[in-house]
């Protein structure tokens, strides 16, 4: 009975792991361990993806993610990152309004212009 | 969610385009188009009817699920093409910007498992610059796999031989390694002289935000 269930769970595996019970049992156990671990990892990965998307969206308007979030926290805007990333993709004008609110609340670093370095003329190979 | 929408609407009251789609979704709905408080459009003046468009009401739930691109969102023929002139640009800084655009990390629709990036053309690749003594000291190594098969060349020698390889090597090191990364690498086109055969794609200037990419003379 258990054999049947295991082989059912082993559908789509590579090679003998989908057909032969001794190998399938090991692989299915590992697969179930991975799925347990990844149900917890998925929450982390999703949040990281939202943050990357928000970062890209705000940088289009000249503000980076850190300063943007700081400005939102200051204004007590409690939109979560999931919603913010969806807004940045589907509602660009609303997102721009949010970026402007955040920028007025926390200006952040202006574009830091580093001093230009003069290069040794002898090392330039034209 | 209702509180969130209320606060969202208070904030958006000053913006040009409030997202009423989020207000509509106060009822828990998987797929239903139940709009309990949808106003009668005949009472709304004509120039404000765009606010109540129903286009999102019957579709999939975009606010509770994270968006994943469909096939029509990343068709290769509709992606933008960028062109950049590598004359006197610092190699690493240029390659970093190129890799960001090829991977699609500058777009809010970025997805790590899907190729959402653009195509980039590099011209004048033989004029790319490096700082310090790298021109004579930076080494490019390759190994044929056999014992004693390591070949070492300097930046100068490789630039005489195959100048495109320098930019390609730099960008390849900055793209992800894997099947998708190898596919992304094919979106980079590097050329030696000032012209390229991609005029039909109408490439635009690559926007570089790095202030130190240009070599100071």
């Amino acid at each position: 009975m258990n054999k049947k269930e295991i082989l059912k769970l082993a559908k789509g595996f590579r090679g003998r792991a989908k057909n032969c019970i001794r190998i399938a049992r090991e692989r299915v156990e590992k697969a179930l361990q991975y799925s347990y671990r990844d149900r917890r990892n998925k929450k982390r990965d999703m949040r990281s993806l939202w943050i990357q998307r928000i970062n890209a969206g705000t940088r289009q308007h000249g503000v980076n993610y850190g300063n943007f979030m700081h400005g939102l926290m200051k204004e007590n805007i409690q939109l979560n990152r999931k919603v913010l990333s969806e807004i940045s993709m589907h509602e660009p004008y609303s997102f721009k309004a949010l970026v402007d609110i955040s920028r007025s609340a926390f200006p952040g670093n202006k574009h830091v212009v580093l001093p230009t370095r003069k290069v040794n003329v002898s090392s330039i190979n034209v | 969610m209702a509180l969130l929408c209320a606060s969202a609407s208070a904030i958006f009251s000053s913006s040009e385009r409030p997202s009423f789609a989020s207000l509509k979704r106060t009822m828990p709905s998987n797929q239903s188009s139940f709009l309990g408080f949808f106003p009668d459009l005949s009472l709304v003046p004509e120039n404000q009817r765009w606010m109540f468009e129903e286009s999102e009401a019957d579709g999939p739930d975009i606010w509770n699920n994270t968006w994943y691109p469909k096939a029509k969102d990343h068709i290769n023929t509709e992606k933008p093409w960028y062109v950049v002139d590598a004359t006197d640009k610092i190699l690493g800084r240029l390659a970093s910007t190129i890799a960001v655009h090829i991977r699609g990390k500058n777009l809010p629709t970025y997805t790590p498992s899907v190729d959402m990036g653009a195509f980039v053309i590099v011209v004048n690749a033989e004029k790319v610059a490096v700082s310090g003594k790298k021109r004579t000291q930076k080494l490019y190594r390759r190994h044929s796999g056999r014992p004693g098969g390591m070949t070492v060349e300097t930046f100068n020698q490789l630039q005489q031989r195959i100048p495109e390889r320098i930019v390609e090597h730099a960008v390849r090191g900055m793209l992800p390694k894997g099947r998708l990364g190898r596919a992304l690498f094919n979106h980079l086109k590097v050329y030696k002289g000032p012209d390229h055969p991609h005029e039909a794609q109408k490439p635009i200037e690559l926007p570089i935000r790095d202030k130190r990419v240009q070599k100071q003379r």
Side-chain angles (χ1 to χ4, degrees), chain B residues 188-209:
Chain B
L188 170 73
K189 317 278 180 193
V190 184
Y191 296 101
K192 202 158 93 163
D195 32 60
H196 59 87
H198 304 288
E199 292 300 341
Q201 278 70 27
K202 302 194 197 60
I204 59 179
E205 191 67 39
L206 181 76
I208 302 184
R209 302 195 57 170

Side-chain angles (χ1 to χ4, degrees), chain A residues 17-72:
Chain A
K18 65 182 180 302
N19 293 325
C20 308
I21 186 60
R22 293 164 110 181
I23 302 173
R25 178 163 283 144
E26 291 176 15
R27 293 286 105 219
V28 164
E29 278 176 20
K30 204 50 181 285
L32 293 172
Q33 287 170 15
Y34 282 146
S35 87
Y36 179 88
R37 176 201 71 180
D38 288 331
R39 276 193 293 278
R40 284 127 182 86
N41 279 359
K42 186 176 180 184
K43 301 160 180 44
R44 310 177 204 167
D45 295 337
M46 279 292 155
R47 183 168 162 132
S48 152
L49 176 64
W50 301 330
I51 291 178
Q52 290 177 43
R53 284 182 172 168
I54 296 172
N55 208 347
T58 59
R59 276 172 202 261
Q60 279 180 342
H61 295 123
V63 169
N64 56 355
Y65 170 82
N67 294 340
F68 175 67
M69 278 305 178
H70 189 52
L72 288 193

Side-chain angles (χ1 to χ4, degrees), chain B:
Chain B
M1 186 63 183
L3 271 172
L4 224 51
C5 287
S7 63
S9 66
I11 291 148
F12 293 160
S13 57
S14 59
S15 76
E16 329 156 27
R17 189 187 183 293
S19 68
F20 273 76
S22 56
L23 287 182
K24 284 180 197 167
R25 229 157 275 308
T26 46
M27 316 294 171
S29 62
N30 305 339
Q31 280 227 329
S32 65
S33 56
F34 173 56
L35 303 158
F37 55 96
F38 194 70
D40 194 3
L41 270 186
S42 57
L43 300 173
V44 178
E46 286 234 359
N47 56 354
Q48 288 179 17
R49 286 209 187 143
W50 59 269
M51 285 197 249
F52 298 94
E53 45 187 56
E54 284 214 46
S55 53
E56 296 157 9
D58 298 326
D61 184 0
I62 55 169
W63 296 104
N64 287 321
N65 300 328
T66 305
W67 180 80
Y68 191 82
K70 297 203 178 320
K72 68 170 163 54
D73 296 317
H74 57 274
I75 313 176
N76 270 351
T77 44
E78 291 174 7
K79 289 187 182 157
W81 282 68
Y82 294 103
V83 70
V84 68
D85 186 352
T87 319
D88 283 344
K89 293 208 160 52
I90 301 286
L91 175 63
R93 291 175 185 270
L94 175 66
S96 175
T97 319
I98 293 175
V100 159
H101 281 267
I102 290 185
R103 193 154 181 226
K105 289 205 82 169
N106 53 324
L107 305 168
T109 48
Y110 165 69
T111 315
S113 58
V114 167
D115 174 11
M116 306 287 296
F119 288 77
V120 176
I121 307 168
V122 182
V123 291
N124 284 326
E126 75 281 8
K127 302 203 179 81
V128 74
V130 286
S131 58
K133 296 187 188 165
K134 289 194 257 255
R135 215 163 263 279
T136 45
Q137 287 186 349
K138 180 171 170 65
L139 296 176
Y140 286 89
R141 301 165 197 267
R142 57 184 195 279
H143 200 284
S144 68
R146 287 150 153 247
M150 170 98 115
T151 343
V152 183
E153 305 184 270
T154 61
F155 184 97
N156 251 343
Q157 292 164 349
L158 189 57
Q159 206 172 43
Q160 310 302 330
R161 216 162 63 91
I162 309 174
E164 298 92 344
R165 198 177 277 186
I166 290 181
V167 174
E168 288 177 351
H169 186 276
V171 175
R172 190 191 289 124
M174 299 187 185
L175 288 173
K177 325 287 181 286
R179 215 185 284 183
L180 180 60
R182 291 190 288 274
L184 290 178
F185 177 69
N186 292 335
H187 293 185
L188 170 73
K189 317 278 180 193
V190 184
Y191 296 101
K192 202 158 93 163
D195 32 60
H196 59 87
H198 304 288
E199 292 300 341
Q201 278 70 27
K202 302 194 197 60
I204 59 179
E205 191 67 39
L206 181 76
I208 302 184
R209 302 195 57 170
D210 191 347
K211 289 187 171 16
R212 296 176 65 186
V213 69
Q214 198 67 30
K215 177 148 181 167
Q216 307 300 325
R217 290 182 163 272

